[in-house]
Amino acid sequence: MSLHIETIVNYPIPSNCFVVSDTARTSHCIVIDPGTESCNDLMNYLKACRLIPDCVILTHEHFDHIAGVTLLKRLYDCKLIASEICSVFIQNPKSNLSLFRDGVGFSVQGADWKISNHDSFEWYGYHCGIYVAKGHSAGGIVIVMDTNLFTGDTLMWDLKTVTKLPTSSKEELNHSLDLIKSFRSLGRMHVYAGHGPDFELDDY
């Protein structure tokens, strides 16, 4: 068996949430970017597959990628993993941009594990590498698991990466894109982006 990646489209903003699992090895899973506050579709999938989240990983701090974190942590007591900057920004409605959605916004508690540059962990026989990847936002990361690459809003298929936000940087984005290109040396990487379809990195 191998890793299974389930894509669940968040709402009301159609960003992507991913559930990483291997039911041949474990009933546990990893959730990446739960961006729906109620988590209804995500919860239905977890219950149907009898999966228990070990951790939630955030690719960056924007509200459409983090809205479900509080509920998941309350229900499953799972660990939250994010970059150091993301961990700070998710605690502020202005910094996570939710304030500009409805004038009120929301906050999420800081991460349990904060990534400053590059870190990794083993998960049921799989190596998970996490790399800081700024550009779209100051708190961005990319995640490599096996031959799967989770890029958040740093790299998307047929969508230009937004670099006009308060903590965006075109220069930092170029560095992050160079990092992503370097992962081609690991083999044929399949990309799961923050919005839109998944694709092969070699085809981009």
Side-chain angles (χ1 to χ4, degrees), residues 33-34 56-60 65-66 69 80-83 86 90 139 141:
D33 286 358
V56 174
I57 308 178
L58 300 179
T59 62
H60 62 294
H65 295 259
I66 70 171
V69 169
L80 179 60
I81 303 173
S83 74
C86 177
I90 60 177
I141 61 170

Side-chain angles (χ1 to χ4, degrees), residues 180-194:
I180 290 172
K181 291 176 185 176
S182 73
F183 295 137
R184 287 175 171 156
S185 64
L186 302 177
R188 190 164 177 83
M189 303 297 293
H190 198 80
V191 178
Y192 294 89

Side-chain angles (χ1 to χ4, degrees), residues 72-123:
L72 286 177
K73 284 187 64 66
R74 178 168 61 83
L75 293 176
Y76 294 101
D77 192 30
C78 45
K79 300 297 183 183
L80 179 60
I81 303 173
S83 74
E84 287 184 343
I85 295 175
C86 177
S87 179
V88 172
F89 284 179
I90 60 177
Q91 300 178 63
N92 185 309
K94 184 176 181 180
S95 299
N96 68 33
L97 305 184
S98 62
L99 178 65
F100 305 104
R101 177 191 59 172
D102 58 10
V104 179
F106 65 86
S107 61
V108 173
Q109 71 179 70
D112 302 294
W113 183 4
K114 305 173 186 68
I115 308 298
S116 59
N117 184 18
H118 167 230
D119 215 327
S120 63
F121 64 96
E122 298 297 318
W123 185 79

